[in-house]
Amino acid sequence: MSYVFLLILLFPVKLLRKLFRKDTGKNLVIQTAKIGDFINATPLLAYLQKSDVLISRSVGALAKHDDTIEQIFFIEQHKRNLWHKLYFACRIMNRYDNVYLLQPNSVNLFFASVCNAKNKQFLSTYTRRWYHGIFYATADGIVEHGKKTLSVTNYLKLADRSLTWQDAPKHATRPLYKPAVYPEILDKPDVIRIGISIAAGNKAKTVPPIIWKRIVDRLADLPCEFYVFGAPNEQAWLDDVTRVYGEIPNFINLIGQIPLEELPWAISKMDCYIASDSGNIYVADAVNVPIVMLFGPCCHYEQRPLGDVMLIGNDDNICSYVFETRYYFSQDREELFGVTESALNKLHQFISSFPKNRSLVDAINAQGN
C-alpha cells in the first residue's frame, strides 16, 4: 500500500516531466524473480531484440552474457530505501517507449507505473490486490494470467497478443557462453550423462532421498552417470542421500563447482536432466537437453519445460503456483513426489530411447552376448 502513496507523491512530477518527454525507442522488461522465471522471460527478450531489464541480482551472471540485454538494473539496489526508490523512479520516468511488466508485485508495479512510456503492458495475476488498481490504471494493455495458462505464452503476449511459446525460443545465455576451462568429467565418454538437481530454492520442492534411490535403482542396467548440480548451500541435501544410502558410485558431485554463467554450457553436455520444478531444469530446457520433471505440488499447466520433456507426478497433488508458491503441505514430500512402477518404467524407456543412449545400450548388450 505504501507504493500507492509513493506514486501519488510523484504524480505531479510525472505529469510535469511528461511534457518534455522524447521518443527513445527503448524497451524495459521487469522480471525480478529467480533463475527459472528469468529464463522463461527470454523468449520475450529475444522477440524484442534489445531491451533494458530490471531483474534480481541472483540472475545477473546470466543477464550479462545475453546479447538481447543492453542495460541491467538490479531490484535489490533500487528498493533499499526511500531515496533509492525515488531516485530510480525519476531516472526511468522518461527513458522508455515500451515497458513490459512480467512480475507484478507492488514495487515492480510502482516502477512500471511511474514511467511515461507510450506503451505499457502489464501482466495481471490471481494474486492481484484491490489497491493495485491504481497502478493498472496507468497501463495501456493488460494480459490476464490464470493458474492454468502458460506463463511463457502470456509473457510474449505482452508484446503481441497473437504470439505463443512456439514463436520464440528460450535461451539461458545468448550466445551460449563457453568457459575457457571446465571439468573434464563433463566429457566422460561411453556413458549416459544425466544431470540432476538434488535441491530446489523452495525446500518444499526438494525431491526426497528415497525417490532418487528408486530412480537410480531403476536405471541401474544403463551406463548412467549422475552429475549433481547445485549451489554450495545445497550440499546438505546430497548429504541426506548419502547418509541414508551411502556413497552412490555413479554420482558425480559438482555442487558449488560451476559458476552460474558457466552452468548452461555444463548442462548442455548432459544427455538428460532430472529434477523438480527448479531453476536448473529451465536452464536444461533452454539448451535443448531432454528433461524428466518431477512436478510434485507444482502446477505444470502454468509453467514447465517446453522441449523434449517427460512429466512425472500426480495432478491431485498440485497446489503451488508461479505467483502463489506454497512452502508447507499437508502431505510429506515422499507422497508429493511419489513415483509409480509404471512411471519408472516409462522413465527408463524415455532415457534409453535417445539415439546416442540407444547406441550405448546396444553396444553393451552386444558385448554381453
Side-chain angles (χ1 to χ4, degrees):
M1 193 70 179
S2 61
Y3 287 103
V4 173
F5 295 118
L6 205 55
L7 181 63
I8 293 171
L9 175 67
L10 284 177
F11 197 67
V13 178
K14 176 177 162 64
L15 287 180
L16 180 63
R17 292 196 63 191
K18 190 173 184 178
L19 297 175
F20 302 96
R21 183 195 172 280
K22 297 180 180 179
D23 290 351
T24 65
K26 288 182 171 291
N27 303 315
L28 175 65
V29 174
I30 302 176
Q31 169 56 284
T32 57
K34 304 304 180 183
I35 294 174
D37 301 282
F38 172 76
I39 288 174
N40 283 331
T42 59
L44 174 63
L45 292 172
Y47 178 79
L48 296 174
Q49 298 184 351
K50 292 291 182 182
S51 304
D52 292 356
V53 293
L54 179 60
I55 57 174
S56 167
R57 193 179 296 277
S58 64
V59 298
L62 297 178
K64 74 178 182 180
H65 294 291
D66 191 327
D67 65 8
T68 69
I69 294 174
E70 293 190 305
Q71 184 160 1
I72 301 171
F73 301 110
F74 294 122
I75 188 65
E76 294 86 352
Q77 178 180 352
H78 299 297
K79 69 173 186 178
R80 283 188 294 177
N81 54 46
L82 179 60
W83 165 248
H84 282 90
K85 291 170 188 173
L86 291 174
Y87 176 79
F88 184 61
C90 291
R91 182 179 178 185
I92 64 175
M93 193 173 286
N94 280 358
R95 185 182 178 93
Y96 299 102
D97 281 356
N98 305 290
V99 174
Y100 303 97
L101 175 61
L102 284 64
Q103 183 77 15
N105 55 31
S106 293
V107 61
N108 291 344
L109 279 162
F110 164 70
F111 285 133
S113 297
V114 82
C115 291
N116 285 324
K118 295 191 301 183
N119 173 43
K120 297 197 292 186
Q121 300 291 326
F122 295 2
L123 194 73
S124 177
T125 76
Y126 39 82
T127 58
R128 178 172 166 175
R129 311 286 184 177
W130 66 267
Y131 55 84
H132 286 168
I134 190 170
F135 300 123
Y136 282 95
T138 71
D140 298 286
I142 297 172
V143 172
E144 295 290 344
H145 176 77
K147 291 181 176 179
K148 288 197 173 183
T149 52
L150 198 62
S151 59
V152 176
T153 287
N154 278 349
Y155 295 162
L156 280 164
K157 286 186 182 298
L158 292 170
D160 186 329
R161 299 297 190 266
S162 67
L163 296 175
T164 72
W165 66 269
Q166 296 166 308
D167 293 311
K170 295 179 186 178
H171 60 266
T173 58
R174 203 181 92 161
L176 183 62
Y177 174 72
K178 181 179 178 180
V181 179
Y182 60 90
E184 292 183 6
I185 196 71
L186 292 172
D187 285 327
K188 187 173 182 178
D190 301 325
V191 297
I192 298 173
R193 298 189 287 265
I194 299 180
I196 65 173
S197 291
I198 289 287
N202 175 358
K203 294 179 181 179
K205 298 193 294 186
T206 295
V207 179
I210 190 172
I211 303 301
W212 290 118
K213 184 65 165 67
R214 293 190 67 197
I215 289 172
V216 170
D217 287 349
R218 183 62 188 88
L219 300 177
D221 63 324
L222 300 177
C224 296
E225 295 284 318
F226 295 88
Y227 293 72
V228 187
F229 293 90
N233 62 0
E234 295 177 12
Q235 179 62 43
W237 295 100
L238 181 57
D239 292 342
D240 284 346
V241 176
T242 55
R243 188 178 301 113
V244 177
Y245 299 108
E247 295 288 341
I248 300 176
N250 54 345
F251 265 37
I252 298 170
N253 186 4
L254 295 175
I255 291 176
Q257 297 184 35
I258 309 291
L260 181 55
E261 64 256 45
E262 298 178 11
L263 187 63
W265 171 260
I267 289 180
S268 75
K269 309 291 281 184
M270 300 296 103
D271 299 308
C272 183
Y273 206 93
I274 305 176
S276 63
D277 183 40
S278 59
N280 284 3
I281 211 165
Y282 294 99
V283 173
D285 193 34
V287 294
N288 300 314
V289 171
I291 290 164
V292 177
M293 178 178 172
L294 309 167
F295 62 81
C298 300
C299 184
H300 57 88
Y301 299 101
E302 183 183 17
Q303 189 154 285
R304 63 183 183 275
L306 297 171
D308 194 351
V309 59
M310 176 185 177
L311 300 174
I312 295 180
N314 184 347
D315 278 12
D316 293 339
N317 292 336
I318 292 175
C319 56
S320 185
Y321 304 89
V322 173
F323 298 99
E324 193 176 71
T325 300
R326 292 185 60 180
Y327 298 90
Y328 302 97
F329 304 92
S330 58
Q331 305 136 289
D332 60 32
R333 287 188 294 124
E334 291 182 16
E335 184 178 352
L336 285 173
F337 288 98
V339 291
T340 64
E341 285 301 317
S342 174
L344 288 171
N345 291 336
K346 290 178 181 177
L347 166 62
H348 186 285
Q349 183 180 10
F350 180 78
I351 290 176
S352 59
S353 65
F354 303 123
K356 174 207 164 180
N357 300 352
R358 189 166 59 244
S359 298
L360 282 173
V361 173
D362 290 343
I364 291 171
N365 290 339
Q367 290 174 3
N369 292 332

